[in-house]
Amino acid sequence: NGLSGRLSKSIGNLTFMTEMDLSDNDIKASIPTELGKLSNLIYLRLSYNAFTGTVPEGLAEMKGLQLLQLQSNRITKMPIIPRLDDFIHGQSTFVTDCGVPSNFDKAFECDNCTM
C-alpha cells in the first residue's frame, strides 16, 4: 500500500467497517485506542509495520473480531483475547511478535513476545 506515518485517532469513526488490512506498510507509533470503537470489525490485519507499545484493551472487547494479525511489529503487551482461539479460518487467528530487529536502529527486548 505504501502507507507511512501514524494512524489518526479519527480511524475510530469508521464504525461501519468489517475488515481492515493495513499490513505491509510503514505505519509507526502505537496502535490507537480508537480502533476499539470499530465494533463491526471482523478482520484486523496490522502486520509488518512499525507499531510499538501495548495493544489497546478495547480490542479485547470487540465481540465480532475473529482475526487479529500483528506479527512483525514491536508490540510489548497484549490484552488476553481467548475467543480468537475458537475460530478456525485456515489462517492464523492471532499472531504477535517483536518484529525483525534488523529493520530497526537498535535491538528490542520484549519479555512477552513470541518469534
Side-chain angles (χ1 to χ4, degrees):
N1 297 336
L3 301 175
S4 62
R6 298 173 181 234
L7 286 182
S8 169
K9 293 180 185 228
S10 63
I11 200 163
N13 295 332
L14 303 174
T15 56
F16 59 89
M17 190 167 281
T18 58
E19 296 185 28
M20 181 180 292
D21 187 349
L22 296 174
S23 59
D24 207 12
N25 285 289
D26 189 30
I27 304 172
K28 296 176 173 62
S30 60
I31 298 171
T33 58
E34 288 77 12
L35 273 180
K37 295 179 182 178
L38 304 182
S39 58
N40 291 317
L41 211 56
I42 298 170
Y43 303 120
L44 178 58
R45 294 177 178 95
L46 300 176
S47 316
Y48 302 100
N49 281 286
F51 288 111
T52 59
T54 63
V55 172
E57 290 289 331
L59 295 187
E61 298 168 14
M62 297 170 69
K63 302 296 182 211
L65 191 62
Q66 297 177 18
L67 177 80
L68 175 62
Q69 293 180 332
L70 298 169
Q71 70 268 22
S72 292
N73 284 290
R74 300 184 129 215
I75 305 299
T76 57
K77 185 177 177 189
M78 295 290 310
I80 296 172
I81 312 175
R83 78 178 167 286
L84 289 181
D85 293 333
D86 296 336
F87 294 100
I88 299 172
H89 298 286
Q91 54 188 320
S92 297
T93 56
F94 181 77
V95 181
T96 182
D97 64 25
C98 295
V100 181
S102 61
N103 288 344
F104 299 93
D105 294 333
K106 64 180 196 174
F108 185 75
E109 293 184 23
C110 176
D111 295 332
N112 299 322
C113 298
T114 59
M115 292 269 213

